[in-house]
Amino acid sequence: MGMFEEVLHDVREFVKAFPDEGKREFQSRDIPDRWPSGGNGNLVLAADTGVELGSPREESVSFALWSESDHAVRDGAITLIGPDLGEPGGRDLPYGKVVMVAGGGFDGKNDYDRYRELERARYDVDLEGYMIRAASLYQREWIRISRKALQKGLTFRTLGGALIGRLKKIEYVRKAEVLFITSSKEDVRRLKAIAGKAAMLVGAMSKIFEEPQMDCDECEYRPVCDEVTALKKMRESLGKERRKR
Amino acid sequence: MKNDGKTRRIAVCGKGGVGKTSLTALMLKHLSGRKDLKILAVDADPAVGLASVLDVNVKKTVNDLRNEIIEKSRDREKIARQELAEAVDYKLFDALTEGNNFAFLAIGRPESEGCYCRVNDLLKEIIESLSADFDVVLIDGEAGIEQVNRRVMKEVDDLVLVSDPSAKGVRVAEALWNLVREQNAVACSRAGLVLNRVRDGEEAKGVMERTSLELFGWVPEDERLRRQDVEGKSFLDLPDDVPANAAVAGIMRKLGF
């Protein structure tokens, strides 16, 4: 089984459980205008903020997944569950975001670097009036959209389009899709439970890469490592490499 | 000064008790009137005096963050640098207290014993990176200029040396300037003296005859500042007609604002 296949399946089931009228879908290919760049100064202070997503006082979750199967990801799809930016819902919204990509060439040695690269891509989304603070360690993302940007019409469609555009620049990414949740704290909490599974996989991957001397018998990630083929492959592949040195 | 995308970093230093914090607060009051600027005020004094005179509620200091990160690092022995750096940036931003067009960051007490070089270096790096998002960074330093270098940033544009008219205060300001010039205590492009609590122009002139430091300006003794301080009211709420405000406006003009 691929690294994130089960988690991807859970995300699909999570989305499916929402009634159709609660979901909106956009296609990044259809986004007409380019939003101006924020230059180097994408700072949005509280007084200038129109809407705040996933602030430290709100529920927030953000994670990235990949699949080696092209069928698992709908290229360019942006799904939104909950109010869009600028729609009634309040200044502070809970926030969930899932990035899903399909790509090839994962060989057990490059997986961890690729994961980091996927996570880093969010910082390259440079839109005027959009500020991001994120912590992969806590799977949290905190977004501020300025009042001016809201007045000018910044929406999740633009935001998702910009993110997908950036992800598609990564050499091994063939398809990219993004899911946004702003509907309720409860929905974000349910997504967090799924994110927890992804965090276990990333934690195991991180440990395999960062701690070459680890003892598998003592390791807290052993159950996931034993279950997920991609992690087993990674452990064996890196083990061989280290023994060669 | 035009907001041209480059951050201007100003550090205020001088002997303890000469009014560095009051001056920094007045400088912030002046700058915060410029709605085209975003300002980061950094309180590098362990006693967080600037927070008091601005009546700002400090949620967390950088030192609190340092301790949290060290704790977190203990939970997971090895955390990738990227993960740690973004977690620090996230928490640092959350630690800011925000005003209309300024944000306030308190550094807090110096670290306790033990070597946390990785965390300390990372914190300084993230403070520098956060600073780059603002138009002006205003640092209320401790008496020792080397603390600014060690705990906030290694380079500033303007170093404001504050002294009262006392010979001792001016000597400390000169000593600080010598530390900067001869031992590179902090890299800076320009330094000058601000005389605080001065009786009149004659007194300021007399002091300046005894020193070779460039004079950025002098601030008159002002009973209303003292009263504001005693009553625990924010210096940001001082009426504009307070003479110290006009003096600080002149100093800021000299600094190019």
Side-chain angles (χ1 to χ4, degrees):
Chain A
M1 187 176 46
M3 174 90 74
F4 295 112
E5 304 303 337
E6 192 186 324
V7 188
L8 260 168
H9 174 263
D10 289 352
V11 171
R12 295 287 178 220
E13 291 300 308
F14 170 83
V15 175
K16 219 188 273 176
F18 287 90
D20 284 346
E21 57 272 22
K23 289 180 271 200
R24 273 176 281 184
E25 288 210 359
F26 314 106
Q27 212 349 291
S28 68
R29 279 190 298 271
D30 303 335
I31 296 167
D33 300 316
R34 254 189 67 80
W35 192 265
S37 146
N40 290 323
N42 275 344
L43 174 73
V44 181
L45 288 178
D48 302 324
T49 301
V51 67
E52 190 154 19
L53 308 166
S55 83
R57 285 148 291 281
E58 261 294 353
E59 286 291 350
S60 169
V61 68
S62 167
F63 56 104
L65 307 169
W66 69 64
S67 171
E68 294 195 58
S69 159
D70 280 352
H71 302 297
V73 175
R74 296 173 311 140
D75 195 29
I78 301 158
T79 306
L80 170 64
I81 298 172
D84 203 334
L85 306 174
E87 287 179 354
R91 183 191 173 278
D92 292 287
L93 291 173
Y95 184 55
K97 192 189 88 185
V98 188
V99 162
M100 293 163 273
V101 302
F106 294 87
D107 61 7
K109 288 177 222 154
N110 59 15
D111 299 42
Y112 185 57
D113 287 341
R114 285 183 167 194
Y115 187 80
R116 294 273 156 250
E117 191 180 8
L118 272 186
E119 289 276 74
R120 267 198 311 272
R122 59 185 162 201
Y123 298 111
D124 294 331
V125 173
D126 176 23
L127 303 170
E128 192 178 66
Y130 164 80
M131 183 189 83
I132 180 169
R133 249 63 214 191
S136 309
L137 205 54
Y138 313 110
Q139 291 187 297
R140 291 191 69 101
E141 215 168 276
W142 173 15
I143 310 287
R144 277 182 180 172
I145 308 288
S146 73
R147 281 200 294 250
K148 265 190 200 159
L150 284 190
Q151 281 158 12
K152 280 169 75 178
L154 185 66
T155 62
F156 275 112
R157 203 167 83 135
T158 316
L159 193 52
L163 180 58
I164 288 172
R166 171 62 188 87
L167 290 165
K168 294 287 287 283
K169 283 187 185 154
I170 299 175
E171 176 236 326
Y172 65 88
V173 173
R174 292 190 298 261
K175 291 183 171 185
E177 177 181 351
V178 60
L179 165 69
F180 295 111
I181 308 281
T182 59
S183 43
S184 70
K185 282 179 201 258
E186 184 48 42
D187 291 341
V188 175
R189 267 186 222 126
R190 287 194 298 116
L191 188 61
K192 256 185 171 174
I194 301 171
K197 289 186 187 175
M200 280 298 279
L201 295 165
V202 176
M205 192 161 52
S206 164
K207 192 154 182 173
I208 292 170
F209 276 82
E210 303 279 348
E211 296 179 39
Q213 305 304 327
M214 68 170 183
D215 176 0
C216 288
D217 294 330
E218 299 282 314
C219 179
E220 74 269 33
Y221 295 111
R222 181 157 191 168
V224 273
C225 258
D226 286 345
E227 199 179 312
V228 179
T229 326
L231 281 172
K232 260 191 238 169
K233 195 171 124 189
M234 192 184 297
R235 205 169 58 186
E236 284 161 12
S237 151
L238 281 169
K240 261 187 216 161
E241 186 129 303
R242 281 165 187 155
R243 279 194 295 278
K244 264 193 229 163
R245 281 188 210 144
Chain B
M1 189 194 93
K2 285 252 159 45
N3 176 4
D4 57 3
K6 193 182 176 301
T7 305
R8 187 77 176 269
R9 297 151 301 177
I10 306 168
V12 180
C13 292
K15 181 179 153 298
V18 294
K20 292 185 294 287
T21 300
S22 304
L23 178 70
T24 311
L26 291 171
M27 288 167 85
L28 178 63
K29 176 176 164 60
H30 180 83
L31 289 171
S32 65
R34 286 270 308 265
K35 298 302 170 204
D36 58 328
L37 296 178
K38 286 176 180 161
I39 307 127
L40 176 64
V42 180
D43 190 346
D45 175 0
V48 285
L50 186 59
S52 306
V53 298
L54 296 175
D55 196 21
V56 160
N57 178 27
V58 177
K59 293 187 282 186
K60 242 177 218 177
T61 67
V62 171
N63 190 54
D64 296 331
L65 291 187
R66 175 186 294 111
N67 295 337
E68 278 180 27
I69 296 158
I70 291 165
E71 261 326 291
K72 186 80 190 170
S73 307
R74 278 190 192 123
D75 291 348
R76 256 180 67 186
E77 282 175 21
K78 290 200 175 173
I79 298 175
R81 188 179 161 81
Q82 183 195 331
E83 261 188 310
L84 194 59
E86 62 170 14
V88 173
D89 175 73
Y90 180 95
K91 283 180 167 279
L92 196 66
F93 200 85
D94 187 33
L96 296 177
T97 305
E98 297 176 63
N100 269 341
N101 60 338
F102 74 88
F104 179 90
L105 179 69
I107 301 294
R109 284 182 297 109
E111 61 270 27
S112 50
E113 278 184 31
C115 179
Y116 302 114
C117 301
R118 184 179 174 227
V119 177
N120 292 342
D121 288 350
L122 191 63
L123 277 166
K124 207 163 79 170
E125 196 181 295
I126 303 291
I127 292 172
E128 297 220 22
S129 143
L130 173 71
S131 299
D133 287 342
F134 288 83
D135 300 303
V136 186
V137 178
L138 190 57
I139 305 162
D140 179 19
E142 281 184 85
I145 181 70
E146 63 280 5
Q147 299 298 331
V148 171
N149 181 326
R150 206 163 69 82
R151 304 182 64 208
V152 188
M153 52 182 59
K154 58 182 185 296
E155 198 175 330
V156 296
D157 297 290
D158 308 278
L159 181 60
V160 176
L161 301 158
V162 190
S163 174
D164 55 18
S166 72
K168 199 173 172 189
V170 176
R171 272 202 304 274
V172 170
E174 285 169 339
L176 288 173
W177 177 225
N178 287 338
L179 265 176
V180 171
R181 275 192 316 181
E182 290 160 19
Q183 293 175 34
N184 207 19
V186 69
C188 88
S189 317
R190 189 182 179 195
L193 182 68
V194 169
L195 288 173
N196 195 22
R197 300 189 197 119
V198 176
R199 210 181 313 135
D200 52 32
E202 276 306 302
E203 187 175 53
K205 200 174 154 203
V207 173
M208 290 316 294
E209 279 166 6
R210 303 196 304 266
T211 178
S212 58
L213 289 170
E214 181 192 347
L215 182 70
F216 280 163
W218 59 273
V219 182
E221 228 169 357
D222 199 326
E223 174 56 24
R224 274 191 282 181
L225 295 190
R226 202 187 71 84
R227 217 181 310 136
Q228 197 84 352
D229 205 9
V230 168
E231 291 170 7
K233 289 182 185 162
S234 170
F235 273 37
L236 296 174
D237 298 332
L238 273 168
D240 290 336
D241 63 350
V242 166
N245 273 332
V248 168
I251 292 164
M252 296 314 286
R253 267 197 303 279
K254 189 137 191 184
L255 290 173
F257 291 92

